[in-house]
Amino acid sequence: MSVHKASDVKRVTTHTLQSMKEAGEKIAMLTAYDYSTARILDAAGVDVLLVGDSASNVMAGHETTLPITLDQMIYHASSVVRGVQRALVIVDLPFGTYQGDSKMALKSSIRIMKESGAHAVKLEGGQEVEESIRRILTAGIPVMGHLGLTPQSIYKFGTYTVRAKQEAEARRLLKDAKMLDELGCFGLVLEKIPAALAKRVSRSIDIPTIGIGGGADTDGQVLVTQDMLGITKDFHPRFLRRYAELFDVIKEATAAYVRDVKSREFPSEEEQY
Ligand code: KIV
């Protein structure tokens, strides 16, 4: 077995992602919120780890992404950064830390970069967050955009169904994507939009697109790790492929442990001093 020293591993950068798009190599991105999981995902070869504000749902049990705070995101992000040798680590700017106030957007982004050691930030929206993006970029902080179903706007949408099915919304999304590219964003998440539109956007802009429920023609794919591993149980959107059923695996292992403790089967002679 070969052991990597930190210096042996070539880090993924925003430039790597651009080269991958140009070479037609797909980008594999997953979410991560803690050190132990980040280590496993990084060792498995994932290119990008997103410290998503989905931590609000997955880690804290909230119904939406809105309650998570900047301090909580920084805690998750710094844990992930410590677990990673190769992957690019991107952190979501949480709700209320960048909209409508570009100075606050810059301050929030600087805190994330300084206090967590992450490599880039992501934020939701198009034209309405243009000024915030411009200001964050002036500090040399790489920014990833996010269009389509943007969960921080769930109370505006009223539903988690597919976005931009109608021509007017699709046209607006394409315009926003081009604007994000021209502003200097290094990538763009496209969430839950028709595959044909995601393909059109991906071919119309130079920066890589990462899809979640956007079909096969985006430049990469992202899933929430707990969904992909089957840790979350009751979430079955069409775009989700489960690669394991860890809820059941963990439940069975835990039940076996409980049985062994109660029956005095654990610990054995060999498991004590
Ligand atoms: O917060 C998150 O996990 C995300 C992904 C779904 C793209 O933004």
Side-chain angles (χ1 to χ4, degrees):
M1 196 178 99
S2 77
V3 177
H4 282 302
K5 280 185 262 126
S7 55
D8 292 339
V9 179
K10 196 162 187 293
R11 277 204 168 272
V12 176
T13 68
T14 56
H15 298 275
T16 317
L17 302 186
Q18 187 62 46
S19 305
M20 287 170 82
K21 171 160 183 154
E22 284 158 20
E25 185 187 341
K26 295 281 188 183
I27 298 162
M29 171 160 137
L30 282 171
T31 63
Y33 319 105
D34 70 90
Y35 167 81
S36 304
T37 311
R39 274 193 78 191
I40 300 170
L41 303 179
D42 189 57
V46 70
D47 300 307
V48 184
L49 287 181
L50 171 67
V51 184
D53 59 359
S54 50
S56 179
N57 313 100
V58 173
M59 302 305 285
H62 291 295
E63 207 172 297
T64 73
T65 58
L66 275 63
I68 200 160
T69 66
L70 188 57
D71 284 339
Q72 288 166 338
M73 289 301 294
I74 289 170
Y75 167 77
H76 286 299
S78 55
S79 308
V80 168
V81 166
R82 286 191 289 274
V84 163
Q85 291 192 4
R86 175 180 172 272
L88 182 79
V89 179
I90 306 173
V91 184
D92 264 337
L93 279 164
F95 177 69
T97 66
Y98 64 95
Q99 297 100 331
D101 182 344
S102 64
K103 287 190 181 157
M104 182 172 62
L106 176 58
K107 258 191 175 162
S108 308
S109 305
I110 288 175
R111 277 202 62 201
I112 286 175
M113 301 296 283
K114 243 185 181 344
E115 295 177 37
S116 76
H119 312 125
V121 298
K122 173 166 90 54
L123 49 75
E124 298 181 5
Q127 192 204 327
E128 66 280 13
V129 288
E130 177 179 349
E131 208 185 306
S132 291
I133 294 173
R134 277 189 196 285
R135 201 178 280 268
I136 298 168
L137 289 169
T138 61
I141 299 173
V143 178
M144 173 172 262
H146 184 157
L147 297 173
L149 177 63
T150 46
Q152 291 178 15
S153 303
I154 188 58
Y155 291 116
K156 181 176 85 177
F157 298 144
T159 158
Y160 284 102
T161 56
V162 181
R163 302 305 311 172
K165 281 164 95 173
Q166 307 302 325
E167 185 54 32
E169 193 179 336
R171 237 184 296 120
R172 167 80 193 274
L173 189 146
L174 184 58
K175 193 166 165 222
D176 279 342
K178 287 180 178 167
M179 184 208 73
L180 294 171
D181 185 5
E182 280 158 22
L183 281 180
C185 289
F186 72 88
L188 172 61
V189 166
L190 294 172
E191 180 163 354
K192 230 172 169 188
I193 61 171
L197 175 61
K199 179 177 179 177
R200 188 162 165 220
V201 172
S202 302
R203 293 192 175 175
S204 305
I205 62 176
D206 292 329
I207 55 174
T209 58
I210 310 288
I212 173 163
D217 291 307
T218 50
D219 302 305
Q221 298 291 329
V222 59
L223 288 174
V224 168
T225 295
Q226 279 73 2
D227 297 337
M228 185 276 286
L229 293 177
I231 293 175
T232 49
K233 195 76 178 141
D234 306 313
F235 183 57
H236 303 284
R238 190 201 295 202
F239 66 75
L240 174 61
R241 185 180 297 181
R242 284 197 196 281
Y243 285 85
E245 293 295 342
L246 289 196
F247 185 101
D248 297 331
V249 171
I250 294 169
K251 188 176 156 208
E252 277 158 31
T254 306
Y257 166 74
V258 170
R259 266 196 317 272
D260 287 354
V261 169
K262 304 245 176 231
S263 66
R264 299 163 201 263
E265 176 70 24
F266 174 80
S268 66
E269 281 293 323
E270 295 75 40
E271 288 161 330
Q272 49 189 289
Y273 302 98

